[in-house]
Amino acid sequence: MLDWDELERQCRHCEKCALAATRTNVVFGAGVRDAEVMLIGEGPGENEDLTGEPFVGRGGKLLDDMLEIIDLSRKKNIYIANMVKCRPPQNRDPLNEEQEACIGYLRNQVALIRPKIIVCLGRIAAMKLIRPDFKITREHGQWFEKAGIHMTAIYHPAALLRDPGKRPETFADLQEIQRKIREVCTHTY
Ligand code: URA
Ligand code: SF4
């Protein structure tokens, strides 16, 4: 396991998969490094690639607004990262081989943070981190425990932008996440 500085340095120079060739910036992650709650997305989009920050476009704004409702913020008490650190061209889903090449960085981030709760943003992260046949429409908001970490998934912000009809379910999931935080976290609130 690498420390934060060495991990970030290696990640910023990484050429382990083909996404290195088309990226502008590596999107390493953002937030507080002693967070008890970690959010994991799929991969950078255009705005993230251009800025090097996760979730900064329209979806990012929606995510920040939703998190604020339950007193979570990347400035204060969460850490946000992605399955792959470089943008897939045309925002396609990251290939399995790209996820496999990259997941070591994420695992190292999880090992450094030692979160109590991991929230997968969307089905790609949930399928990799919770279960390969995870069904986001049916299983969002449910809890799974893995290696002592409470894991759940909510709809991806981009899905909520495409289909605002899903927002009430996500609002309920956020309330449930807040309840779980109160149950298992000691310094998030
Ligand atoms: N979508 C993601 O999954 N991650 C980001 O960082 C931005 C958009
Ligand atoms: Fe390396 Fe991950 Fe970027 Fe691929 S996506 S080049 S594995 S940092």
Side-chain angles (χ1 to χ4, degrees):
M1 175 171 114
L2 305 174
D3 68 21
W4 278 110
D5 285 351
E6 184 57 19
L7 182 66
E8 184 161 357
R9 198 191 64 76
Q10 287 192 18
C11 195
R12 293 200 181 284
H13 292 96
C14 181
E15 297 193 346
K16 285 202 283 187
C17 84
L19 298 180
T22 49
R23 75 181 175 224
T24 312
N25 286 294
V26 170
V27 180
F28 179 68
V32 300
R33 290 174 172 182
D34 72 340
E36 296 172 294
V37 181
M38 201 170 163
L39 277 68
I40 301 178
E42 179 177 322
E46 184 179 23
N47 294 296
E48 293 77 21
D49 177 64
L50 292 173
T51 58
E53 289 288 311
F55 288 100
V56 288
R58 225 156 60 85
K61 171 81 168 72
L62 175 61
L63 179 64
D64 284 343
D65 289 348
M66 290 190 315
L67 293 173
E68 198 182 299
I69 296 169
I70 56 167
D71 288 315
L72 298 180
S73 135
R74 62 179 90 189
K75 291 202 177 74
K76 202 170 71 184
N77 54 8
I78 58 168
Y79 191 85
I80 308 182
N82 280 305
M83 299 299 304
V84 296
K85 312 304 194 199
C86 305
R87 182 195 183 195
Q90 283 88 46
N91 300 338
R92 62 161 171 74
D93 291 350
L95 303 175
N96 196 50
E97 67 202 70
E98 293 158 355
Q99 294 186 47
E100 282 301 315
C102 208
I103 200 160
Y105 298 116
L106 180 66
R107 293 203 187 288
N108 202 326
Q109 288 171 311
V110 172
L112 288 166
I113 293 172
R114 300 196 294 128
K116 301 270 195 354
I117 292 173
I118 290 180
V119 180
C120 299
L121 300 171
R123 59 179 273 279
I124 296 282
M127 288 172 67
K128 199 76 179 179
L129 301 176
I130 299 177
R131 239 189 30 251
D133 63 343
F134 191 88
K135 296 284 181 291
I136 188 83
T137 46
R138 201 165 60 222
E139 297 180 287
H140 67 84
Q142 295 183 22
W143 292 103
F144 302 82
E145 205 175 320
K146 275 186 114 175
I149 303 176
H150 302 278
M151 317 241 339
T152 191
I154 62 175
Y155 285 118
H156 194 283
L160 298 175
L161 288 174
R162 277 194 306 271
D163 180 3
K166 291 188 164 83
R167 290 189 194 191
E169 290 168 82
T170 302
F171 186 73
D173 293 348
L174 291 169
Q175 303 298 319
E176 172 55 24
I177 290 167
Q178 183 172 52
R179 190 198 63 73
K180 182 65 94 178
I181 291 171
R182 292 202 172 108
E183 182 186 317
V184 303
C185 295
T186 58
H187 61 264
T188 294
Y189 291 145

